């Protein structure tokens, strides 16, 4: 059983940011820190006060993290980057929004006294009895991961203790963020013990005031009751000073989408019933009178969670080798609905989202190979491309002394030539890539092509549009428009390049629609591009025909849908600078050499170039840790260390430098994922280097001494190329199915009544958010219910009486959930009989009361009418009365 925390962060955009440059603008980017450790850096958006990023990340964390801080920075080329402001979100704030937080948050000013981090190891105790002199003793042992306040990338920390008006200080440890003091301080205990002990950590400075590094406050009354308290305590900022709130809001705001998901994942065998049911339904296909769990997911999943469910299903079936059959089942369900051939798969249904996720998981290398050269050319050439007359910028051209202004028609014609050149290069690359397309993608498109052809035999055009609706509209076009989000580029495009990419993506989209006249009707200025679009449509049809017509060999067909083996796949590769520590002194401090590293499921190997022979390799079983290195060690904050065991059984460390913080965290994530099951991983490490006779981080003299900081094996970034984790995907699907209990009705199967006695009973559902119970003995299911024997199989009611949003399958059909979603008595059978009778009696009583009230009202009305008639007759028509009474009436 493993507890996991996954944090999804989407940094959308900023607005009303202050100008930090002399030009009246800024070059903003964001840094995401989790517990004061930089994890993510967005791309820089140049020369704007309202930047748009649209970048999305998912980080796997330790469940004990405290807060997430997002800093908005202004990039400067010649000086240190300016801090614009920050947004801090605590774990408690995220817990208040289980479905995630989405909205604008105002930036606050960064206060140096609040920028604290790290922990301190203390032992506090009360000595002496009540009748004698009593002392409050505090032993300051060590600290770790303190904030770096000096320019050399370290601090000079010391501890200041305050109690009952008295102050004591420890010695100063120079140039260390991992100091060790091991000093004891004594205070005479005050009576009554109402004072608090304050332990503060400061950075000593020779010139200027000392910098605050954090503090811990102890209640002496609690210490008297406990006697002694020892452990690592988190350092907190000083909240006693009043904060200036007038600048909050004047620094701009940031639009964020943040969600924290805590989950408990059991061993994979605990999820086998659910996995077996899904696989059984996918392999058997649609059957008359049967209601599939996949069908229920398709019809009950809301738009908010459809993308997440689609990704979980795709990864689950990829791991089982049945992704082709799963997508074919979704295609069949989608085509069974009323639909038009021209709008096929254009909605955000489960089939569309699953196919989109499938292409991203399996087709990223193919996408990079096809689009990479053209996207690189667009970024490097920076040509001005514009076809809309309303947006044309007329520029001066010519040599000095002789200027000629281009006409609007010349600018448009020049832009058309550039765009047509990019489009032709891209379509040629797509047309030649049928053999390079992954076999599983070819097989999936072949199934889709056949399904649509059978569904619309009179519209042969529809089967081509069905393929391009995924390939062009949901895969190629989004990647062209935002190459940063598909890892095609490291930075966002500037305004000119962004416009060129937008027009190119629009052209590819029109080719995918295979109706250029429709796009021309909406935007008439695209008319000059019409001949190129018609030629592109012919190329695309020819490409699709070859793509779906390629028959694989029998052994390849059997292996479709299964991901490549972990040892064969390249997890990550790229150039890194390796540092070798040689000794103490400026000339012998370190030497650096650039090599090409390749990480696979077997080893971390390296060579002089990508195609060169491997110089050496480190087996994954020998890697003990992959962690960051202090900035002061090599003068860079983008250095990581790989701790491993060499052939002689000695512990060695390789120091590798990356080019940016994102590449650093990507390499760390990849190494931690492939080495996650190594039983020899370290629990502590040294974030510095051993030079001369001591470690630079904690100043220990022993080279093989215990580490001074904790390792962070569980902190990783999620990538599309991550190794499949069937247990995690099954747990997320199970959690989603738990949320559908209010929508579904589950009458119990005969003989399964003992399993329906609440969440705590045998076979009952665990509480929300919990993992399913491991499989065990179950009551026998009712006869005729599909599913493995020995598991209760709930079914649903009458579908013909259902309303929108609630599922009622046709009479006689049954659904087997194989115990993963056991029956809960929500329905008309079993334990709900008493409630149904009470409900019927209550309805009858209300009806009787209503009828009685109506009768009373009717009788009252009749009596009033009768009295009015009698009064009128008595005073107006009674014989012998005077004429005055008659006149009065």
């Amino acid at each position: 059983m493993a507890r996991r925390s996954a944090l999804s962060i989407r940094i959308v955009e900023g607005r009303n940011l202050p100008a930090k440059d002399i030009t009246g603008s800024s070059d903003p980017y964001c840094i995401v820190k989790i517990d004061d450790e930089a994890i993510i850096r967005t791309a820089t958006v140049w020369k704007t006060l309202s930047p748009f990023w649209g970048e999305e990340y998912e980080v796997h964390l330790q469940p004990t993290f405290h807060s997430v801080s997002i800093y908005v920075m202004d990039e400067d080329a010649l000086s240190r980057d300016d801090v614009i402001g920050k947004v801090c979100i605590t774990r408690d704030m995220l817990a208040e929004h289980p479905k995630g937080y989405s909205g604008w948050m105002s930036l606050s000013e960064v206060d140096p006294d609040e920028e604290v981090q790290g922990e301190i190891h203390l032992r506090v105790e009360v000595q002496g009895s009540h009748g004698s002199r009593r002392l409050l003793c505090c032993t300051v042992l060590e600290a770790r991961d303190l904030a770096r306040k000096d320019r050399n990338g370290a601090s000079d920390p010391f501890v200041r203790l305050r109690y009952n008006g008295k102050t004591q200080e420890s010695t100063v440890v120079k140039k260390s963020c991992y100091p060790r003091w091991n000093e004891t301080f004594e205070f005479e205990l005050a009576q009554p013990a109402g004072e608090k002990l304050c332990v503060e950590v400061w950075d000593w400075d020779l010139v200027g005031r000392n910098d605050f590094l954090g503090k811990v406050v102890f209640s002496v009354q609690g210490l008297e009751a406990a006697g002694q308290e020892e452990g690592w305590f988190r350092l907190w900022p000083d909240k006693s000073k009043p904060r200036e709130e007038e600048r909050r809001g004047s620094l701009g705001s940031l639009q964020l989408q943040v969600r924290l998901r805590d989950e408990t994942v059991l061993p994979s065998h605990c999820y086998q019933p659910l996995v077996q049911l899904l696989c059984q339904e996918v392999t058997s296909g649609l059957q008359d009178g049967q209601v599939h769990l996949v069908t229920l997911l398709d019809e009950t999943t809301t738009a908010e969670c459809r993308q997440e469910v689609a990704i979980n299903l795709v990864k689950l079936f990829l791991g089982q080798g049945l992704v082709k059959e799963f997508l074919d089942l979704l295609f069949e369900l989608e085509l069974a609905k009323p639909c038009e051939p021209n709008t096929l798969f254009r909605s955000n249904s489960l089939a569309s989202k699953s196919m989109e996720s499938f292409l991203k998981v399996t087709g990223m290398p193919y996408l990079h190979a096809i689009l990479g050269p053209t996207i690189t050319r667009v970024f490097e050439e920076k040509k001005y491309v514009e076809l809309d007359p309303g947006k044309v910028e007329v520029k001066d051209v010519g040599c000095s002394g002789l200027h000629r202004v281009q006409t609007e028609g010349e600018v448009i014609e020049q832009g058309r030539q550039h765009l047509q050149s990019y489009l032709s290069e891209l379509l040629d690359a797509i047309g030649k890539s049928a053999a390079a397309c992954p076999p599983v993608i070819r097989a999936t498109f072949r199934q889709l092509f056949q399904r649509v052809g059978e569904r619309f035999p009179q519209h042969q055009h529809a089967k081509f549009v069905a393929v391009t609706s995924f390939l062009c509209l949901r895969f190629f076009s989004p990647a062209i428009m935002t190459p940063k989000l598909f890892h095609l580029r490291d930075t966002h495009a500037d305004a000119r390049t962004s416009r060129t990419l937008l027009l190119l993506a629009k052209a590819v989209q029109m080719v995918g629609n295979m109706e250029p006249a429709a796009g021309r009707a909406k935007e008439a200025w695209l008319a000059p591009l019409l001949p190129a679009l018609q030629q592109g449509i012919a190329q695309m049809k020819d490409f699709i025909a070859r793509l779906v017509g390629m028959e694989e060999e029998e052994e390849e067909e059997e292996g479709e849908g299964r991901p490549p083996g972990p040892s064969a796949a390249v997890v990550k590769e790229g150039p890194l600078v390796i540092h070798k520590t040689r000794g103490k002194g400026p000339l012998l401090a370190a030497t650096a050499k650039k090599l090409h590293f390749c990480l696979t499921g077997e080893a971390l190997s390296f060579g002089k170039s990508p195609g060169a022979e491997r110089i050496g390799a480190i087996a994954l079983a020998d890697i003990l840790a992959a962690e960051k290195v202090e900035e002061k060690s090599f003068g860079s904050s983008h250095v990581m260390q790989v701790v491993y065991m060499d052939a002689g059984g000695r512990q060695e460390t390789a120091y590798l430098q990356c080019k940016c913080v994102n590449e650093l965290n990507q390499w760390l994530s990849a190494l931690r994922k492939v080495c996650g099951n190594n039983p020899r991983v370290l629990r502590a490490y040294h974030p510095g280097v051993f030079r001369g006779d001591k470690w630079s981080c904690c100043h220990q003299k022993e080279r093989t001494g215990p580490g001074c900081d904790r390792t962070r094996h569980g902190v990783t970034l999620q990538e599309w190329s991550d190794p499949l984790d069937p247990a995690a995907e099954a747990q997320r699907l199970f959690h989603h199915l738990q949320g559908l209990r209010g929508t579904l009705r589950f009458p119990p199967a005969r003989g399964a009544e003992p399993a329906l006695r609440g969440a705590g009973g045998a076979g009952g559902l665990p509480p929300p958010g919990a993992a399913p119970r491991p499989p065990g003995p179950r009551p026998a299911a009712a006869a005729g219910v599909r599913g493995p024997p020995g598991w209760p199989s709930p079914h649903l009611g009458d579908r013909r009486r259902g309303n929108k949003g609630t599922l009622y399958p046709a009479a006689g059909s049954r659904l087997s959930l194989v115990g993963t979603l056991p029956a809960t008595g929500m329905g008309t059978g079993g334990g709900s009989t008493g409630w149904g009778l009470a409900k019927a009696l209550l309805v009858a009583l209300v009806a009787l009361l209503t009828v009685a009230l109506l009768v009373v009202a009717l009788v009252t009305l009749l009596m009033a009418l009768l009295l009015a008639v009698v009064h009128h007759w008595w005073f107006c028509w009674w014989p012998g009365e005077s004429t005055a009474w008659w006149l009065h009436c």
Side-chain angles (χ1 to χ4, degrees):
M1 181 183 297
R3 290 186 59 203
R4 302 181 182 181
S5 293
L7 183 67
S8 300
I9 304 175
R10 185 168 189 263
I11 303 175
V12 185
E13 59 180 325
R15 66 183 178 189
N16 301 329
L17 300 182
K20 290 292 184 178
D21 300 335
I22 59 175
T23 59
S25 183
S26 294
D27 305 318
Y29 66 93
C30 294
I31 291 287
V32 180
K33 292 186 177 181
I34 298 177
D35 284 346
D36 305 301
E37 180 182 359
I39 300 294
I40 299 164
R41 184 198 190 277
T42 68
T44 302
V45 182
W46 303 98
K47 299 179 181 180
T48 180
L49 300 180
S50 298
F52 177 84
W53 291 285
E55 300 185 22
E56 187 172 358
Y57 304 90
E58 182 165 340
V59 187
H60 296 277
L61 304 167
Q62 299 290 351
T64 56
F65 85 98
H66 296 88
S67 64
V68 180
S69 299
I70 303 174
Y71 294 79
V72 181
M73 311 289 291
D74 169 56
E75 183 170 344
D76 291 327
L78 302 178
S79 62
R80 180 172 294 185
D81 295 348
D82 301 319
V83 180
I84 297 177
K86 77 167 186 177
V87 170
C88 185
I89 306 173
T90 63
R91 183 184 177 90
D92 295 336
M93 295 170 60
L94 294 173
E96 295 175 358
H97 300 83
K99 293 185 178 181
Y101 172 82
S102 178
W104 290 89
M105 299 188 71
S106 298
L107 296 176
S108 60
E109 191 173 6
V110 176
D111 186 358
D113 288 340
E114 292 190 2
E115 299 301 303
V116 301
Q117 66 183 67
E119 298 173 315
I120 186 170
H121 188 189
L122 302 172
R123 180 170 64 247
V124 187
E125 58 183 341
V126 177
Q127 296 181 353
S129 60
H130 288 280
S132 60
R133 181 170 174 262
R134 306 182 68 196
L135 297 177
L136 175 62
C137 298
C138 179
T139 302
V140 181
L141 300 173
E142 57 184 325
R144 61 189 179 193
D145 196 23
L146 299 179
R148 284 80 176 162
K149 294 293 184 178
D150 298 338
R151 290 186 176 272
N152 58 10
S155 294
D156 305 321
F158 69 95
V159 178
R160 179 180 296 164
L161 297 91
R162 301 178 186 272
Y163 176 71
N164 197 23
K166 297 181 181 180
T167 302
Q168 299 187 47
E169 293 183 354
S170 70
T171 57
V172 178
V173 180
K174 296 294 189 68
K175 299 180 181 180
S176 176
C177 293
Y178 299 85
R180 296 192 173 189
W181 292 283
N182 198 18
E183 299 180 19
T184 301
F185 303 89
E186 295 181 352
F187 295 91
E188 187 172 350
L189 190 64
Q191 296 296 336
E195 293 287 336
K196 293 184 178 181
L197 173 65
C198 182
V199 181
E200 301 174 347
V201 184
W202 292 82
D203 168 49
W204 178 83
D205 289 329
L206 179 63
V207 180
R209 72 180 187 89
N210 297 330
D211 299 315
F212 181 71
L213 298 180
K215 70 176 183 179
V216 181
V217 179
F218 292 92
S219 173
V220 179
Q221 293 180 345
L223 289 173
E224 283 189 311
Q228 179 180 335
E229 189 170 354
E230 181 180 354
W232 286 94
F233 300 92
R234 178 177 174 81
L235 295 173
W236 296 95
D238 188 4
K239 297 291 186 179
S240 60
K241 298 190 308 180
R243 292 207 54 189
E244 298 180 1
E245 297 292 338
E246 58 270 13
R247 292 211 62 185
R248 181 180 291 271
S250 63
L251 299 176
S253 54
L254 202 61
Q255 186 181 8
L256 302 171
Q257 295 176 4
V258 187
R259 180 189 176 189
L260 176 64
R261 183 176 62 238
D262 291 321
E263 51 192 20
T264 302
V265 181
L266 297 177
S268 58
H269 67 85
C270 300
Y271 302 97
Q272 282 306 306
L274 176 62
V275 176
Q276 289 174 3
L277 170 64
L278 290 170
C279 293
Q280 181 183 357
E281 292 184 350
V282 166
T283 53
S284 61
L286 289 180
Q287 300 178 5
D288 296 337
Q290 298 287 349
V291 179
H292 283 265
L293 184 57
V294 177
T295 308
L296 298 181
L297 289 172
D298 183 25
E299 299 188 14
T300 58
T301 304
T302 62
E304 299 175 352
C305 58
R306 190 170 292 134
Q307 180 71 51
E308 181 181 354
V309 173
I311 294 176
N312 295 334
L313 287 170
V314 166
K315 290 187 176 181
L316 180 67
F317 285 109
L318 268 173
Q320 300 296 321
L322 296 173
V323 67
K324 182 182 69 174
E325 291 78 5
F326 164 67
L327 293 173
D328 185 47
L329 177 60
L330 291 182
F331 295 153
E332 188 176 0
L333 292 172
E334 188 76 9
L335 293 172
K337 303 175 184 177
C339 56
E340 295 292 333
N342 294 331
T343 59
L344 199 58
F345 298 109
R346 299 301 174 90
S347 63
N348 290 324
S349 62
L350 185 61
S352 300
K353 289 295 184 181
S354 298
M355 188 64 182
E356 181 181 345
S357 303
F358 164 72
L359 290 175
K360 291 180 179 179
V361 172
T362 60
M364 276 298 185
Y366 171 69
L367 178 75
H368 286 207
I370 300 302
L371 301 185
T374 304
I375 297 297
T376 302
R377 180 187 167 194
V378 172
F379 270 79
E380 292 178 351
E381 293 181 352
K382 296 186 181 298
K383 298 289 187 181
Y384 180 72
V385 178
E386 186 54 74
L387 302 182
D388 188 357
K391 298 181 179 180
V392 169
E393 298 178 3
V394 179
K395 300 292 184 180
D396 292 344
V397 297
C399 59
S400 60
L402 181 62
H403 293 274
R404 184 178 64 85
V405 179
Q406 281 185 312
T407 64
E408 182 179 287
E410 291 176 338
V411 174
I412 292 178
E413 176 59 23
Q414 188 178 15
R416 183 197 65 80
Q417 293 177 1
H418 294 321
L419 185 60
Q420 187 171 338
S421 174
Y422 297 143
L423 182 61
S424 299
E425 177 184 356
L426 184 58
L427 291 177
D428 289 342
I430 294 175
K432 298 176 183 178
S433 67
C437 184
V440 63
I441 296 181
R442 290 202 301 263
T444 304
F445 278 136
R446 186 184 309 120
Q447 291 179 156
L448 175 63
F449 192 81
Q450 295 172 355
R451 288 283 186 189
V452 176
E454 295 171 358
R455 175 66 173 80
F456 300 101
Q458 69 279 13
H459 297 89
Q460 292 299 316
H461 180 72
K463 54 187 180 181
F464 291 94
V465 176
V467 175
T468 56
S469 65
F470 291 116
L471 192 62
C472 294
L473 275 64
R474 293 181 180 268
F475 198 41
F476 287 154
S477 289
I480 294 172
M481 194 156 44
T482 55
K484 171 68 171 62
L485 305 185
F486 286 77
H487 305 293
L488 288 165
R489 302 291 296 183
D490 294 332
T491 61
H492 289 293
D494 55 21
R496 172 177 289 192
T497 306
S498 180
R499 179 61 179 174
T500 303
L501 294 175
L502 177 62
L503 293 175
L504 181 59
K506 187 183 291 290
V508 173
Q509 183 178 358
M510 294 175 67
V511 171
N513 289 329
M514 296 193 172
E515 292 183 1
R520 182 184 173 187
K522 297 179 181 178
E523 297 168 327
W525 46 269
L526 289 172
L529 204 62
L530 186 60
L533 294 177
Q534 291 176 341
Q535 182 180 358
I537 291 174
Q539 289 180 275
M540 186 61 66
K541 281 190 174 181
D542 180 64
F543 164 71
I544 293 174
R546 286 185 286 109
L547 184 71
V548 302
M550 294 182 64
E551 295 293 339
E552 305 295 332
E553 298 294 335
E554 184 176 356
E555 61 272 13
E556 293 182 354
E557 289 288 343
E558 293 177 354
E560 282 181 349
R562 296 187 181 275
S567 60
V570 175
V571 179
K572 187 170 180 59
E573 61 178 343
L576 297 173
V577 177
I578 182 169
H579 292 273
K580 297 181 181 179
T581 57
R582 292 293 180 87
K584 193 174 182 180
L587 298 178
L588 300 176
T591 58
K593 187 176 182 180
K594 190 174 183 179
L595 297 173
H596 186 273
F597 283 78
C598 180
L599 177 64
T600 65
E602 294 179 344
L604 174 65
S605 59
F606 52 92
K608 292 184 178 181
S609 61
E613 184 181 357
R614 301 288 93 181
I615 299 176
I618 304 173
L620 296 186
D622 295 332
I623 296 180
L624 308 180
E627 300 293 336
K628 294 181 180 180
V629 180
E630 281 188 308
E631 180 179 358
K632 69 174 185 178
S633 300
F634 298 100
S636 173
S637 59
H638 307 145
V639 180
M640 66 176 177
Q641 58 177 304
V642 179
V643 185
Y644 64 97
M645 300 295 293
D646 63 4
R650 297 183 302 271
Q651 182 173 310
E652 298 290 344
T653 304
Y655 298 97
L656 309 175
Q657 180 175 339
C658 307
K659 64 180 180 179
C660 62
V661 64
N662 284 343
E663 186 182 46
L664 171 65
N665 286 296
Q666 289 169 7
W667 271 104
L668 289 174
S669 298
L671 286 166
R672 290 167 180 172
K673 290 170 187 174
V674 296
C675 302
N677 296 326
N678 192 341
R680 298 187 295 171
V681 293
L682 300 178
R683 299 302 174 189
Y685 78 107
H686 288 283
V689 296
F690 192 85
R691 287 197 179 125
D693 58 349
K694 64 181 180 180
W695 287 96
S696 63
C697 48
C698 58
H699 301 172
Q700 283 191 60
K701 300 293 184 179
E702 297 181 9
R703 184 183 182 92
T704 59
C708 55
D709 197 7
R710 295 173 298 176
T711 54
R712 297 166 175 83
H713 299 292
V715 180
T716 58
L717 290 172
Q718 183 179 6
E719 300 285 347
W720 288 107
S721 58
D722 283 350
L724 300 176
D725 191 349
E729 306 302 336
Q731 165 60 28
R732 291 169 187 171
L733 286 174
F734 172 79
H735 180 70
H736 174 72
L737 290 170
Q738 275 189 304
L740 301 180
R741 290 184 300 174
T743 304
L744 307 179
R745 298 194 310 165
F746 294 96
R750 288 174 296 182
E753 287 80 7
L756 307 179
R757 296 177 182 174
L765 280 172
R773 294 178 180 273
R778 304 284 182 174
V785 181
R786 184 168 54 90
W791 291 78
S793 300
H795 67 281
L796 305 180
D798 190 355
R799 184 170 191 163
R800 293 169 295 184
R801 299 194 304 270
N803 50 12
K804 186 176 180 180
T806 306
L807 297 181
Y808 298 91
S813 64
R814 302 178 75 83
L815 169 68
S816 172
L817 297 186
V818 199
T820 307
L821 280 180
T824 58
M826 296 183 296
T828 58
S832 61
T833 306
W835 164 244
L837 180 59
K839 184 177 179 181
L841 292 176
L842 181 61
V843 171
L845 181 59
V846 171
L848 289 175
L849 290 176
T850 305
V851 172
L853 290 175
L854 290 176
V855 170
V856 170
L858 182 60
V859 171
T860 304
L861 179 62
L862 291 175
M863 292 181 65
L865 290 175
L866 181 59
L867 289 175
V869 170
V870 170
H871 179 274
H872 187 76
W873 176 72
W874 177 269
F875 288 103
C876 299
W877 299 102
W878 185 256
E881 293 292 328
S882 63
T883 306
W885 285 105
W886 182 84
L887 293 175
H888 174 73
C889 295

